[in-house]
Amino acid sequence: MLSQPTAADPVAFRAAQPGAEAWVSALCSHPTWSPVQNALKGIAEKMIHSLFLINCSGDIFLEKHWKSVVSQSVCDYFFEAQEKAIDVENVPPVISTPHHYLISIYRDKIFFVSVIQTEVPPLFVIEFLHRVADTFQDYFGECSETAIKDNVVIVYELLEEMLDNGFPLATESNILKELIKPPTILRSVVNSITGSSNVGDTLPTGQLSNIPWRRAGVKYTNNEAYFDVIEEIDAIIDKSGSTVFAEIQGVIDSCIKLSGMPDLSLSFMNPRLLDDVSFHPCIRFKRWESERVLSFIPPDGNFRLISYRVSSQNLVAIPVYVKHLISFKENSSSGRFDVTIGPKQNMGKTVEGVVMTVHMPKAVLNMNLTATQGSYTFDPVTKVLAWDVGKITPQKLPNLKGIVNLQSGAPKPEENPSLNIQFKIQQLAISGLKVNRLDMYGEKYKPFKGVKYITKAGKFQVRT
Amino acid sequence: MTDSKYFTTTKKGEIFELKAELNSDKKEKKKEAVKKVIASMTVGKDVSALFPDVVNCMQTDNLELKKLVYLYLMNYAKSQPDMAIMAVNTFVKDCEDPNPLIRALAVRTMGCIRVDKITEYLCEPLRKCLKDEDPYVRKTAAVCVAKLHDINAQLVEDQGFLDTLKDLISDSNPMVVANAVAALSEIAESHPSSNLLDLNPQSINKLLTALNECTEWGQIFILDCLANYMPKDDREAQSICERVTPRLSHANSAVVLSAVKVLMKFMEMLSKDLDYYGTLLKKLAPPLVTLLSAEPELQYVALRNINLIVQKRPEILKHEMKVFFVKYNDPIYVKLEKLDIMIRLASQANIAQVLAELKEYATEVDVDFVRKAVRAIGRCAIKVEQSAERCVSTLLDLIQTKVNYVVQEAIVVIKDIFRKYPNKYESVIATLCENLDSLDEPEARAAMIWIVGEYAERIDNADELLESFLEGFHDESTQVQLQLLTAIVKLFLKKPTETQELVQQVLSLATQDSDNPDLRDRGYIYWRLLSTDPVAAKEVVLAEKPLISEETDLIEPTLLDELICYIGTLASVYHKPPSAFVEGSRGVVHKSLPPRTGSSESAESPDAAPSAGQAAEQPAVIPAQGDLLGDLLNLDLGPPVSGPPLAASSVQMGAVDLLGGGLDSLMGGSGFTAPGPAAPAAMGAPLGSGLGDLFDLTGGVGTLSGSYVAPKTVWLPAMKAKGLEISGTFSRQVGSICMDLVLTNKALQVMSDFAIQFNRNSFGLAPAAPLQVHAPLAPNQSVEISLPLNTVGSVMKMDPLNNLQVAVKNNIDVFYFSTLYPLHILFVEDGKMERQMFLATWKDIPNENEAQFQIKDCSLNADAVSSKLQGSNIFTIAKRNVEGQDMLYQSLKLTNGIWVLAELRIQPSNPSFTLSLKCRAPEVSQYVYQAYDAILKN
């Protein structure tokens, strides 16, 4: 076979005259026949090649290249797509350009645009980019242009640590924090006095164990474990008030501050509710399959233990109802608006934090409304009506009513605005999920345990 | 005290100032200076001029400073290779550091410096690090092997790093395993033929074990690697599936989708009767749905993949329609994808819900989305027959809204509904006609005109309506003009008395005043038809049209099967095989779903069926050959006029052999040659064994071969190659491609040690076996060699597309030449498309992908053409006779799965044929034409 020449061959090959075509010279410069792909080195790059961070006004404020430097001009294709999309949210996440693919996410008013040169799983890239944004959030308290610029060196170190040659290296916040210390005011003061650095100089302990998410030697004086069961209701309610679609997106976010290597078991009163669950890698899948118990050695600090989805219609209770009357008169420059929100199926708990936002039709000039409760604003530029209702008391239902002023002469608006509702219910998981007990093995101390429930509106919309 | 201070200095002498600071004695100042340099780098400023100064800071025991310098080096080392050498010593030293973090950092950074000179120094430290006691170093070193391979593949092979890497798959640490797999799969990608990732049940078992333990990213690499494995039977497939299923509950969506890919692929091998098959189907739905609650970007990619999955296995998500309902604040790209999937899932059971939703969407704000929603209603009508009536009334409601773009879209889809259900909903025509004036888009105007023409007899004022369009005839787009011409002719044929003037007018507008050849041609055809034979005209113009079906928007099954293998990749987002975006994809190997085993319903796999069929036919052909022998002697060497061309080709060969004639003349002359591999054998064999040869040949005949082979030409003249002359040609026989070579030694010394290699090329052609020249080639001697080729080599788009660069070596030197191969050697045997599929695909490929060519001076008739082409795997799917000309509809498929559809127009008295080619990759058309031309003229 050619690709494995005999020992005598290389000399003969090296002697080949230079020149000819480009690939040929490359082939010659190699001591062997090794396939021609080396001639095309430029093409043969993989995974995430470069990353650009772009703010909403279109400035590239950070670039990082894991391979060779790619010119900023590649972002022009992105800007083009951005212009076409009008709305920032509508920029397509995968854009192809003549020589690259741009895969981007939009988070916290920043576009994370990655440059890809070969076939690569886009979800891999998108997940990774979100992980980068999460890490910034985690390190700097916010993922904003200012925060990133203020910590540019740490950002660079983080990016380098997270990705090597396109392979994600360390993305667990626990490990990263051991490698690169997050900035604190105290530390930067101390560092500037003592001349020490914010780079960890020992190998993170968790990195290579079979539980890479936890570091060794964790110590707390107060041992605590908190679980927040948070459920969001996504729903579409039609004009007549019946539910077109509803599901619950639930998560259990945990804050675990336990010393040593605790081994936890969390069980539920009604685990059968959970038939579509995504787990944190720490959870032992087999135990769940056989016993419906969440058994795990937790990471240290805050993390998402599971996320789940409950979709079967009869389990998804809709805690509020909306009575609405929005009408525009033919050939007149006004319309009526009358909306009442009331509680329904809320298991005796109070519905609070209620906010309604409505994107009114373009023809709407202004709105003259009276709210029996809370306050409303209408932005005549974006046409967004926002009504901050607050708490719903069943005795006196909140109502917002009045006149809509339309542009004179404009035709009656075709589209009916959808009402987006936000709300919160404390101490309730609307699916009925309930934690039964938490047991700890492997450590002697007695931890403090707490579970909190909360239900919120997710994408909750009422069509009118 | 934030880092933004590093950005502040922008005055003139910035670089100069930094230089001074970098060379400062104070550690702290140095560090600050490096930070400033890094800050400049982050905003794309060129600070490469500081290279030597920054490298000087590298010798330090401050880890942070070291890291920063390394960061800088990675960015600029390539532009300053000589300077980078300065850093080597420190790297080598750091690789010995007692702190594993520093060892890993050094080996990692060294691999990132893509400078050839550095690689030589890298080998020793890398070898040590691959065997380091600390797994963190080992896993970093594993990645470094991939980096080094990218810079210098041979070095990696020579140094035995690949074997070390393979050993790491069995490492005790799962993270090391994951990185080793990742590195190996990356290297394997550039070496598609190499058997690097030797997947066997043992190594698969190792991977599956590592899968449970390694990080999420490692899991993705392992799953993608598993997806390339071909289990030996359904039991093995099932056991792998069982161990992969838990990944469906992973929080990382990329892990989930990679797991889905493995399951979708291996499921193909499971029998549907198996209980496990049903269980698996049920398990797939929830994770797919869960992906839709993620961030919108993830949703988008998930939706594109779900789109493929519902086409392949609609049963998985058939009960999950509601999760695809569009939310008011979804980004537009998510909305459009959801809509598409809703239609695919629409069935009688859920159509009421779907329609209600679609109607709701049609009143939304976003114009693109509204249009697509209206179109979707039409597609539902065509897909679910029982719902057609409801769809039509929904569309009518929408037309009543008088919103301009809604009305136009509605009319376009109503036209399609008429074509699917003729004579059923014509009562709505009156409503449509009311909106005639508001139509300003060509597609809507054309649709409306079509409706008026088609139902002219039911519309009292059809002539007035059409006349009103005629006024601005020249300002209309071609689409509308063509439609108007046809509509008026239809009207004339239906109501000849009142419309004579109108038809005259449109015919003269189309033929005399237009520059558009399509329009003129159509005008003339109608004109002659009407003036010579009105009855025939009626038959042609008012002929019954084939019903349209919903399949038009489905991805064709073979492509779909291939795309299923690419779930989760860019290919799945674009719904194109990676070979379609040739650039940037290296070494694309075609993937196909595994055939089903252990069950009788193998007919489901389209690939397996035809080959089995061919094999079965074979024995039937051979005995028949005896009868042919009698006719052989009477046959002349001219092109066969009728009958299957394959038989004819074999007959020629046989005849020649029997007569004892030399093959050389035949090879050099025109006509068909023997099937490639057989040819040299025949040459060497004594003539007496002609009959035996004949039987060999018929084997080839039975499996549809005998493609046209061009005469050999000189590729490499002796002058340019120190006395070695190479001439050759390409052939395709029995499904395999051969390069037939004649090597002639025109030098004075003996030549030996021949070897051959191809550069990457557009279709991945590569030698399937080494070049075998058994004995040294003496001066003035020549040897004929038939080199089998395959198409699994590395792919790179060439210009021209069929260019092949070849290197041949012998004991004297290496020689290079390039040659153009005829595209028809890439036409595969199963290139016959289903008729329905052909129609759908033809419609589906946009008109701008159509290319037209003239084949001049060809005197064959349609049957001869079609049989001749079939010999080269161009299959005639349908033949029609339209107005005296023969239209042949043909299909062919290239080795990389690209379909080319052709329409060949043959006029009896005209030696010029018109060839229209449609293909999703229009760049191949020209070369397909050249192949047609060559085949037909020889």
Side-chain angles (χ1 to χ4, degrees):
Chain A
M1 283 292 288
L2 263 186
S3 49
Q4 275 133 19
T6 54
D9 282 355
V11 188
F13 279 105
R14 216 196 287 266
Q17 75 269 54
E21 292 110 304
W23 71 277
V24 167
S25 61
L27 182 129
C28 292
S29 74
H30 278 286
T32 69
W33 274 84
S34 155
V36 187
Q37 81 261 10
N38 294 308
L40 300 155
K41 238 179 260 173
I43 298 177
E45 325 250 275
K46 63 246 82 178
M47 296 306 185
I48 299 173
H49 193 290
S50 299
L51 172 71
F52 293 96
L53 300 190
I54 301 173
N55 64 19
C56 279
S57 33
D59 306 318
I60 302 170
F61 66 90
L62 185 113
E63 60 181 75
K64 162 82 188 148
H65 308 276
W66 280 274
K67 297 272 181 156
S68 52
V69 178
V70 175
S71 155
Q72 289 196 347
S73 61
V74 73
C75 294
D76 292 349
Y77 294 98
F78 178 79
F79 294 134
E80 209 173 279
Q82 193 183 12
E83 212 165 287
K84 225 183 277 168
I86 305 166
D87 223 353
V88 281
E89 277 95 0
N90 287 339
V91 183
V94 184
I95 301 169
S96 79
T97 80
H99 301 287
H100 304 88
Y101 291 92
L102 303 179
I103 298 184
S104 63
I105 64 163
Y106 180 66
R107 277 266 305 250
D108 304 304
K109 303 210 164 62
I110 299 171
F111 285 103
F112 292 70
V113 182
S114 60
V115 182
I116 308 296
Q117 269 190 328
T118 40
E119 175 62 272
V120 63
L123 273 189
F124 182 106
V125 180
I126 295 173
E127 278 277 0
F128 178 78
L129 293 178
H130 277 293
R131 217 56 71 81
V132 171
D134 290 343
T135 307
F136 290 167
Q137 172 82 37
D138 192 29
Y139 263 71
F140 314 129
E142 56 167 3
C143 177
S144 68
E145 185 180 348
T146 353
I148 291 170
K149 275 185 167 164
D150 283 351
N151 296 289
V152 69
V153 174
I154 295 186
V155 164
Y156 237 55
E157 287 169 348
L158 280 174
L159 290 175
E160 191 55 43
E161 206 53 63
M162 291 177 83
L163 200 69
D164 178 18
N165 195 42
F167 305 126
L169 210 54
T171 52
E172 286 284 340
S173 115
N174 264 304
I175 293 170
L176 282 172
K177 282 188 176 158
E178 280 183 67
L179 286 167
I180 300 156
K181 303 239 164 51
T184 60
I185 294 168
L186 184 65
R187 183 166 306 119
S188 57
V189 172
V190 172
N191 280 357
S192 61
I193 296 167
T194 61
S196 63
S197 75
N198 60 348
V199 172
D201 54 6
T202 49
L203 199 58
T205 45
Q207 172 104 5
L208 288 148
S209 65
N210 285 352
I211 36 169
W213 54 84
R214 189 174 180 90
R215 63 195 166 96
V218 181
K219 247 189 138 54
Y220 289 101
T221 38
N222 296 320
N223 288 294
E224 308 161 311
Y226 298 103
F227 297 92
D228 290 354
V229 180
I230 305 165
E231 297 195 336
E232 291 193 357
I233 305 174
D234 286 350
I236 303 174
I237 312 289
D238 75 2
K239 284 186 198 37
S240 60
S242 52
T243 309
V244 177
F245 160 83
E247 65 178 21
I248 296 169
Q249 305 286 355
V251 297
I252 299 184
D253 282 346
S254 318
C255 175
I256 310 275
K257 295 181 172 174
L258 298 175
S259 316
M261 275 288 163
D263 197 332
L264 304 179
S265 292
L266 185 72
S267 62
F268 300 95
M269 306 281 266
N270 39 11
R272 282 169 58 200
L273 276 173
L274 303 174
D275 63 344
D276 181 4
V277 199
S278 303
F279 298 113
H280 188 276
C282 69
I283 291 172
R284 298 182 182 102
F285 189 73
K286 287 234 169 73
R287 278 287 299 278
W288 172 256
E289 286 276 90
S290 55
E291 298 165 50
R292 297 276 138 177
V293 168
L294 295 179
S295 155
F296 56 99
I297 294 173
D300 183 41
N302 295 307
F303 66 99
R304 177 154 295 170
L305 184 64
I306 63 167
S307 51
Y308 58 94
R309 189 175 63 95
V310 179
S311 61
S312 89
Q313 290 285 312
N314 43 7
L315 288 173
V316 184
I318 302 294
V320 296
Y321 69 88
V322 180
K323 271 203 255 172
H324 51 83
L325 187 129
I326 303 171
S327 64
F328 306 104
K329 268 177 256 162
E330 200 77 58
N331 303 323
S332 120
S333 55
S334 73
R336 280 175 59 202
F337 186 97
D338 186 347
V339 173
T340 308
I341 303 181
K344 179 181 147 187
Q345 293 183 296
N346 52 359
M347 329 288 172
K349 307 275 200 245
T350 320
V351 183
E352 53 188 23
V354 180
V355 176
M356 180 186 80
T357 44
V358 191
H359 202 113
M360 298 300 288
K362 277 194 216 71
V364 174
L365 273 187
N366 221 327
M367 305 182 76
N368 281 320
L369 308 173
T370 335
T372 60
Q373 184 183 330
S375 60
Y376 82 94
T377 56
F378 177 73
D379 182 340
V381 182
T382 58
K383 314 286 180 198
V384 174
L385 167 72
W387 177 27
D388 189 345
V389 184
K391 205 185 278 182
I392 301 181
T393 35
Q395 293 75 28
K396 195 170 153 282
L397 296 179
N399 169 273
L400 182 68
K401 181 157 103 172
I403 303 292
V404 183
N405 297 315
L406 297 175
Q407 219 166 347
S408 56
K412 177 173 125 58
E414 275 318 317
E415 66 267 34
N416 286 316
S418 276
L419 315 176
N420 283 302
I421 315 282
Q422 292 161 47
F423 54 81
K424 253 194 314 217
I425 307 169
Q426 303 281 3
Q427 296 310 319
L428 173 73
I430 197 89
S431 68
L433 186 73
K434 255 199 145 59
V435 172
N436 183 23
R437 55 182 296 157
L438 177 74
D439 296 308
M440 188 182 74
Y441 306 92
E443 295 290 337
K444 294 262 180 311
Y445 55 84
K446 246 188 124 51
F448 182 81
K449 301 174 270 192
V451 181
K452 207 167 77 183
Y453 299 92
I454 186 165
T455 296
K456 291 187 211 172
K459 285 186 167 178
F460 193 99
Q461 64 190 64
V462 181
R463 292 175 178 161
T464 62
Chain B
M1 289 285 278
T2 70
D3 293 348
S4 34
K5 66 177 182 247
Y6 301 127
F7 291 111
T8 47
T9 49
T10 45
K11 43 186 175 313
K12 205 166 80 194
E14 185 190 3
I15 295 281
F16 181 79
E17 243 171 59
L18 281 172
K19 223 178 181 69
E21 284 174 44
L22 284 169
N23 291 315
S24 151
D25 296 335
K26 284 191 195 130
K27 234 191 208 167
E28 213 32 47
K29 203 157 196 183
K30 255 189 188 172
K31 197 159 96 186
E32 290 298 290
V34 177
K35 282 190 177 178
K36 276 185 205 165
V37 174
I38 301 280
S40 308
M41 225 163 73
T42 64
V43 287
K45 253 186 239 168
D46 184 10
V47 282
S48 57
L50 295 167
F51 199 90
D53 309 282
V54 177
V55 171
N56 275 337
C57 302
M58 199 173 162
Q59 284 280 14
T60 169
D61 40 9
N62 183 319
L63 186 60
E64 188 184 19
L65 183 55
K66 203 182 257 303
K67 262 191 162 177
L68 293 173
V69 175
Y70 277 6
L71 274 179
Y72 177 89
L73 276 178
M74 280 185 244
N75 231 20
Y76 288 117
K78 209 176 176 188
S79 56
Q80 309 262 348
D82 297 328
M83 292 291 196
I85 291 290
M86 289 166 48
V88 165
N89 271 336
T90 321
F91 280 133
V92 175
K93 213 175 103 206
D94 283 354
C95 285
E96 308 272 338
D97 198 279
N99 184 343
L101 204 58
I102 293 182
R103 291 203 297 277
L105 186 65
V107 77
R108 181 168 140 203
T109 312
M110 233 167 138
C112 291
I113 299 178
R114 307 180 54 87
V115 179
D116 266 337
K117 285 182 191 161
I118 283 206
T119 54
E120 291 166 35
Y121 300 94
L122 182 57
C123 292
E124 274 324 298
L126 180 58
R127 194 186 319 281
K128 267 186 210 148
C129 289
L130 279 168
K131 306 228 156 104
D132 199 285
E133 52 171 22
D134 195 302
Y136 182 77
V137 182
R138 288 205 300 278
K139 92 174 191 161
T140 314
V143 177
C144 192
V145 174
K147 294 182 198 168
L148 186 59
H149 185 273
D150 199 27
I151 306 171
N152 189 342
Q154 193 57 42
L155 187 69
V156 170
E157 273 174 45
D158 293 347
Q159 297 278 335
F161 285 143
L162 291 183
D163 295 323
T164 321
L165 205 51
K166 278 188 220 164
D167 293 343
L168 286 184
I169 293 193
S170 328
D171 198 279
S172 57
N173 187 294
M175 314 273 289
V176 179
V177 177
N179 275 13
V181 170
L184 278 174
S185 19
E186 192 188 308
I187 295 171
E189 231 175 83
S190 61
H191 260 291
S193 46
S194 73
N195 210 5
L196 261 185
L197 274 168
D198 181 25
L199 296 176
N200 52 44
Q202 288 77 38
S203 61
I204 288 292
N205 199 30
K206 264 182 221 158
L207 290 179
L208 286 167
T209 311
L211 183 61
N212 290 327
E213 289 165 1
C214 69
T215 64
E216 46 197 315
W217 312 108
Q219 293 184 15
I220 298 169
F221 288 117
I222 293 182
L223 287 168
D224 285 347
C225 181
L226 281 177
N228 290 329
Y229 176 65
M230 192 70 76
K232 61 180 190 302
D233 55 25
D234 52 342
R235 282 184 41 210
E236 193 185 3
Q238 176 173 345
S239 91
I240 295 175
C241 286
E242 279 164 358
R243 294 178 69 178
V244 165
T245 333
R247 297 303 118 204
L248 292 174
S249 303
H250 202 284
N252 184 320
S253 58
V255 175
V256 174
L257 207 55
S258 289
V260 168
K261 165 162 65 187
V262 175
L263 297 174
M264 282 294 286
K265 212 175 155 186
F266 290 0
M267 224 173 160
E268 198 71 10
M269 295 183 72
L270 303 177
S271 156
K272 283 190 172 166
D273 313 328
L274 228 59
D275 286 344
Y276 182 69
Y277 180 86
T279 320
L280 199 53
L281 273 187
K282 274 198 211 101
K283 280 194 175 163
L284 275 169
L288 288 174
V289 173
T290 301
L291 292 177
L292 299 183
S293 52
E295 286 82 1
E297 302 92 3
L298 295 168
Q299 279 188 51
Y300 170 75
V301 177
L303 285 164
R304 290 296 285 172
N305 280 284
I306 289 173
N307 200 325
L308 295 175
I309 293 167
V310 295
Q311 288 185 60
K312 179 72 189 165
R313 299 197 182 277
E315 61 271 35
I316 294 177
L317 287 167
K318 68 177 177 213
H319 299 303
E320 301 287 349
M321 171 63 90
K322 283 187 175 178
V323 297
F324 299 103
F325 283 2
V326 171
K327 285 171 192 140
Y328 163 74
N329 37 8
D330 283 335
I332 181 75
Y333 54 83
V334 168
K335 285 183 176 174
L336 295 176
E337 288 307 316
K338 281 187 173 174
L339 202 53
D340 214 42
I341 296 172
M342 279 173 71
I343 301 162
R344 298 206 191 284
L345 289 175
S347 66
Q348 205 183 338
N350 56 26
I351 193 74
Q353 265 180 342
V354 174
L355 271 183
E357 279 296 302
L358 292 176
K359 199 174 168 187
E360 192 69 42
Y361 305 158
T363 62
E364 276 221 28
V365 199
D366 190 293
V367 178
D368 280 346
F369 180 57
V370 170
R371 283 173 180 275
K372 194 144 186 208
V374 175
R375 235 164 238 234
I377 298 176
R379 278 167 70 187
C380 284
I382 290 164
K383 184 163 184 209
V384 186
E385 183 158 3
Q386 297 82 353
S387 76
E389 193 158 347
R390 211 169 339 176
C391 294
V392 171
S393 75
T394 309
L395 287 169
L396 281 181
D397 287 351
L398 290 172
I399 289 177
Q400 299 303 349
T401 62
K402 304 270 177 207
V403 178
N404 188 279
Y405 52 85
V406 175
V407 174
Q408 309 213 39
E409 282 301 322
I411 286 179
V412 172
V413 294
I414 286 180
K415 179 206 74 182
D416 288 344
I417 296 178
F418 283 174
R419 288 209 54 189
K420 168 83 179 177
Y421 310 107
N423 305 317
K424 227 170 158 185
Y425 301 110
E426 283 71 21
S427 51
V428 307
I429 290 176
T431 322
L432 302 185
C433 290
E434 285 166 23
N435 292 287
L436 212 61
D437 300 332
S438 61
L439 308 179
D440 53 12
E441 289 160 23
E443 206 182 349
R445 285 172 81 84
M448 191 64 220
I449 292 168
W450 182 86
I451 293 171
V452 173
E454 189 67 19
Y455 299 99
E457 68 273 26
R458 309 187 193 192
I459 305 170
D460 294 335
N461 59 344
D463 48 345
E464 283 170 39
L465 294 176
L466 292 177
E467 203 172 352
S468 69
F469 280 106
L470 208 54
E471 280 159 21
F473 189 77
H474 288 300
D475 302 328
E476 300 283 2
S477 71
T478 314
Q479 191 185 13
V480 179
Q481 288 176 333
L482 286 169
Q483 206 52 261
L484 194 54
L485 173 62
T486 306
I488 292 178
V489 172
K490 280 182 193 164
L491 174 70
F492 171 73
L493 290 168
K494 287 172 178 173
K495 301 178 182 173
T497 44
E498 310 115 78
T499 56
Q500 202 143 15
E501 205 174 309
L502 194 60
V503 85
Q504 284 293 344
Q505 206 181 335
V506 76
L507 286 175
S508 75
L509 278 172
T511 54
Q512 283 156 28
D513 303 341
S514 169
D515 298 331
N516 184 323
D518 281 350
L519 186 62
R520 264 197 332 249
D521 280 2
R522 197 187 280 197
Y524 278 123
I525 290 169
Y526 284 143
W527 201 328
R528 292 204 186 117
L529 212 51
L530 291 173
S531 54
T532 51
D533 189 353
V535 180
K538 219 165 189 162
E539 265 170 40
V540 171
V541 181
L542 302 181
E544 202 145 304
K545 284 157 212 64
L547 298 184
I548 58 171
S549 67
E550 46 125 358
E551 273 108 43
T552 46
D553 62 323
L554 292 177
I555 296 175
E556 58 147 311
T558 45
L559 177 60
L560 181 62
D561 281 356
E562 191 181 352
L563 287 177
I564 290 288
C565 303
Y566 287 109
I567 282 177
T569 65
L570 276 174
S572 71
V573 172
Y574 285 103
H575 290 186
K576 285 179 193 160
S579 48
F581 29 120
V582 177
E583 188 181 25
S585 65
R586 32 179 214 158
V588 175
V589 185
H590 275 276
K591 297 189 181 174
S592 58
L593 290 175
R596 178 154 307 171
T597 58
S599 92
S600 57
E601 43 177 345
S602 65
E604 269 218 11
S605 153
D607 293 336
S611 58
Q614 280 171 15
E617 277 165 26
Q618 221 167 308
V621 180
I622 294 172
Q625 205 63 41
D627 300 341
L628 276 171
L629 282 179
D631 300 331
L632 289 180
L633 303 174
N634 299 329
L635 263 169
D636 59 9
L637 290 177
V641 183
S642 63
L646 344 140
S649 83
S650 79
V651 161
Q652 281 173 348
M653 267 312 298
V656 171
D657 247 13
L658 286 177
L659 292 170
L663 275 171
D664 295 6
S665 60
L666 186 64
M667 295 276 235
S670 68
F672 299 90
T673 64
M683 308 248 313
L687 290 176
S689 71
L691 206 64
D693 286 344
L694 191 61
F695 277 92
D696 284 345
L697 294 173
T698 50
V701 169
T703 50
L704 292 178
S705 68
S707 116
Y708 160 68
V709 181
K712 289 201 178 88
T713 51
V714 174
W715 284 341
L716 182 69
M719 271 170 57
K720 282 195 178 165
K722 303 188 180 167
L724 175 67
E725 184 184 273
I726 300 177
S727 58
T729 185
F730 293 91
S731 64
R732 181 185 184 87
Q733 304 295 344
V734 206
S736 64
I737 307 168
C738 279
M739 185 168 178
D740 301 322
L741 296 166
V742 179
L743 307 181
T744 310
N745 182 354
K746 298 201 170 168
L748 295 173
Q749 66 185 112
V750 174
M751 294 178 178
S752 62
D753 301 337
F754 286 95
I756 193 164
Q757 176 130 13
F758 294 176
N759 190 9
R760 306 164 139 208
N761 52 71
S762 314
F763 294 91
L765 278 176
L771 187 65
Q772 302 239 334
V773 182
H774 293 295
L777 198 56
N780 277 328
Q781 200 190 356
S782 46
V783 62
E784 299 227 10
I785 297 154
S786 186
L787 178 71
L789 308 183
N790 59 28
T791 52
V792 299
S794 297
V795 173
M796 178 177 73
K797 194 170 172 180
M798 302 294 292
D799 188 35
L801 205 63
N802 56 345
N803 191 13
L804 180 69
Q805 299 175 329
V806 184
V808 168
K809 114 174 204 319
N810 60 14
N811 56 331
I812 301 171
D813 207 341
V814 190
F815 310 105
Y816 306 92
F817 62 89
S818 66
T819 175
L820 300 177
Y821 52 90
L823 210 62
H824 69 263
I825 60 166
L826 302 169
F827 297 172
V828 297
E829 280 64 29
D830 63 343
K832 185 159 187 170
M833 208 179 235
E834 285 285 300
R835 216 175 244 253
Q836 269 316 99
M837 192 51 144
F838 182 90
L839 284 173
T841 315
W842 183 274
K843 263 185 73 177
D844 201 34
I845 298 177
N847 281 331
E848 56 267 25
N849 282 13
E850 182 167 344
Q852 225 174 49
F853 303 94
Q854 295 291 329
I855 299 174
K856 296 206 175 75
D857 304 326
C858 190
S859 54
L860 301 172
N861 68 23
D863 289 333
V865 164
S866 132
S867 58
K868 200 162 190 182
L869 290 173
Q870 184 154 358
S872 293
N873 294 333
I874 301 173
F875 301 92
T876 303
I877 288 159
K879 185 186 147 190
R880 280 202 302 165
N881 189 295
V882 182
E883 294 147 28
Q885 1 176 36
D886 281 320
M887 309 286 271
L888 295 179
Y889 294 91
Q890 302 175 317
S891 75
L892 61 95
K893 191 167 89 170
L894 299 180
T895 45
N896 59 357
I898 295 179
W899 285 94
V900 180
L901 311 187
E903 180 196 77
L904 189 61
R905 195 188 308 159
I906 303 173
Q907 284 163 292
S909 52
N910 187 346
S912 275
F913 300 169
T914 309
L915 176 68
S916 307
L917 295 172
K918 263 191 161 186
C919 177
R920 284 186 211 276
E923 56 270 37
V924 304
S925 298
Q926 188 195 343
Y927 304 96
V928 173
Y929 155 68
Q930 288 169 4
Y932 261 85
D933 199 61
I935 297 166
L936 289 176
K937 288 187 181 159
N938 287 288

